[in-house]
Amino acid sequence: MKTLSIIIPCYNEETVIQITYERVKSVLNQLTGIKSYITFINDGSTDRTLEIMTEIASVDTDVFILNFSRNFGHQAAVTAGINYCKTDLAVIIDADLQDPPEIIPDLLQTMEKEQANVVYCVRKSREGESRFKLWSSKLFYRFLNSLSEVKFPLDTGDFRLIDSTIIKEFNRLRERGKYIRGLISWVGFKQVPYYYERNARHSGKTKYPFRKMISFASTALSYFSKKPLLLSVSLGFIAVIGGIILAIWYALGKIFGYTNAESGFTSIMIIVIFFGGVQLLTIGVLGQYIGILFDEVKNRPEYIIENTINIEQ
Ligand code: UDP
Ligand code: MG
């Protein structure tokens, strides 16, 4: 008999977690020939999320809880879920019911039929998302793909079914800054899409404010592409060529008398400001990668678990 874990990261989801549990459970109960478990990761919630989970786990011993010592972020929570996973298969799904658990049987079927290691869910449509989020994420995934050495499927979140091969390889990845959907693509093996309609959040607010979106995007970009570093090289190159041309132009101007070198305040100001900006920008890009090196070298754990429920250590 195959075993399946449903990995659900939760951060302040008190309004929805009970319903999520019920909907996931009723889907799992319909599966035949599969023994399934639910792993809730409480990512430092400050509301009643942990309390509700604990109640659920006291009745249903197939529900596991990993309780973080504080909020470590969505990607760390999913990472913990995969790290603790001992089953043949795992589904990563959000707590807010944006990803309908009802398609899990279809995911399993697709995996079986295609003999795949990953079935990733591609959003055909997204309800209840701000126009800014839709637009920025569309643009971002395309931008990332154009820069990254690995190609990622577009319009895909972390919602997916993975098998034990992927779980095993994922658990060997040592980097701290995890961009999970990218890493799973990077691992390789057979990965197939499944198209679905993404719903609006059941209740509560998004836990990804603009600030977190930016930090998520910058992890994705800087861990999956070294091309921004090349930016300074190409800008520098353009500047040097421009400089040489200008120098020749002025030298010839002096000889043939077609320039009057004194009147040049505006052009000098423009050049100084422009290259000042270019330098700050490129130093900033360098700084971004040095910051990452700093974080990785410190080698801190990605998350700290305060306690677990229904899991023997
Ligand atoms: N989440 C988390 N830690 C965080 C932020 C989010 O565990 O710091 C969880 C959250 O509870 C949800 C999932 O990650 O299950 C996705 O978050 P959310 O739905 O707020 O993001 P959105 O769908 O708006 O991008
Ligand atoms: Mg959501």
Side-chain angles (χ1 to χ4, degrees):
M1 185 134 107
K2 282 205 163 168
T3 51
L4 166 71
S5 301
I6 311 295
I7 297 171
I8 315 182
C10 307
Y11 176 51
N12 292 347
E13 301 287 7
E14 64 179 0
T15 56
V16 64
I17 186 160
Q18 179 71 37
I19 304 156
T20 305
Y21 166 72
E22 282 159 21
R23 268 181 58 185
V24 170
K25 193 71 190 178
S26 84
V27 171
L28 297 181
N29 285 338
Q30 289 160 24
L31 298 175
T32 47
I34 293 185
K35 171 86 186 115
S36 37
Y37 304 91
I38 296 175
T39 307
F40 284 122
I41 300 94
N42 176 40
D43 185 14
S45 301
T46 51
D47 62 0
R48 291 187 59 249
T49 301
L50 179 63
E51 222 174 293
I52 301 169
M53 285 179 182
T54 310
E55 264 165 47
I56 295 172
S58 68
V59 182
D60 182 348
T61 51
D62 292 338
V63 172
F64 306 148
I65 298 177
L66 300 172
N67 181 33
F68 280 6
S69 61
R70 64 169 172 85
N71 178 252
F72 281 93
H74 175 212
Q75 300 289 295
V78 175
T79 302
I82 301 177
N83 291 163
Y84 273 75
C85 188
K86 298 252 161 23
T87 49
D88 305 316
L89 303 164
V91 168
I92 304 165
I93 189 169
D94 284 354
D96 59 2
L97 294 173
Q98 277 192 294
D99 309 321
E102 288 72 24
I103 70 171
I104 293 174
D106 292 347
L107 299 181
L108 291 163
Q109 230 174 33
T110 309
M111 179 174 265
E112 184 91 26
K113 201 175 86 208
E114 305 265 350
Q115 290 292 304
N117 301 90
V118 177
V119 181
Y120 56 89
C121 301
V122 184
R123 310 181 268 242
K124 272 196 291 191
S125 64
R126 293 174 83 172
E127 270 174 50
E129 234 43 288
S130 70
R131 202 176 277 157
F132 172 72
K133 180 142 185 171
L134 291 181
W135 174 84
S136 59
S137 84
K138 246 199 155 59
L139 199 73
F140 172 71
Y141 285 119
R142 278 151 187 86
F143 178 60
L144 180 63
N145 246 342
S146 68
L147 289 184
S148 167
E149 286 100 48
V150 204
K151 294 297 163 230
F152 312 117
L154 297 169
D155 306 315
T156 306
D158 288 327
F159 184 27
R160 58 189 64 215
L161 169 65
I162 56 180
D163 75 356
S164 54
T165 313
I166 302 291
I167 297 170
K168 192 178 112 223
E169 296 304 331
F170 182 87
N171 286 336
R172 292 202 308 134
L173 301 174
R174 291 276 71 94
E175 67 208 276
R176 254 117 271 285
K178 289 260 194 328
Y179 176 59
I180 292 169
R181 56 200 76 164
L183 287 169
I184 292 180
S185 288
W186 178 87
V187 164
F189 300 98
K190 183 159 188 201
Q191 313 210 358
V192 298
Y194 178 88
Y195 295 88
Y196 78 114
E197 320 271 346
R198 192 159 211 244
N199 301 320
R201 183 174 245 283
H202 180 271
S203 55
K205 299 200 295 256
T206 174
K207 308 301 177 307
Y208 266 98
F210 186 63
R211 181 176 50 79
K212 275 196 188 170
M213 272 168 67
I214 293 290
S215 112
F216 181 69
S218 96
T219 307
L221 189 62
S222 34
Y223 275 79
F224 276 89
S225 176
K226 292 193 282 285
K227 289 198 183 130
L229 287 171
L230 283 178
L231 181 78
S232 45
V233 180
S234 27
L235 283 174
F237 192 70
I238 294 169
V240 168
I241 302 280
I244 291 173
I245 293 173
L246 262 169
I248 295 175
W249 171 256
Y250 279 115
L252 291 178
K254 264 270 180 284
I255 297 166
F256 299 107
Y258 62 77
T259 57
N260 178 4
E262 271 90 79
S263 73
F265 179 73
T266 318
S267 56
I268 287 180
M269 281 313 275
I270 289 172
I271 291 171
V272 167
I273 292 170
F274 177 74
F275 287 105
V278 167
Q279 281 167 8
L280 284 177
L281 180 81
T282 53
I283 292 172
V285 171
L286 277 179
Q288 168 73 8
Y289 286 91
I290 292 175
I292 287 173
L293 286 177
F294 181 56
D295 278 347
E296 294 288 329
V297 165
K298 279 185 291 189
N299 212 12
R300 288 186 188 153
E302 285 155 86
Y303 53 83
I304 292 175
I305 291 178
E306 187 173 325
N307 64 301
T308 62
I309 296 177
N310 289 344
I311 302 178
E312 60 280 11
Q313 290 295 338

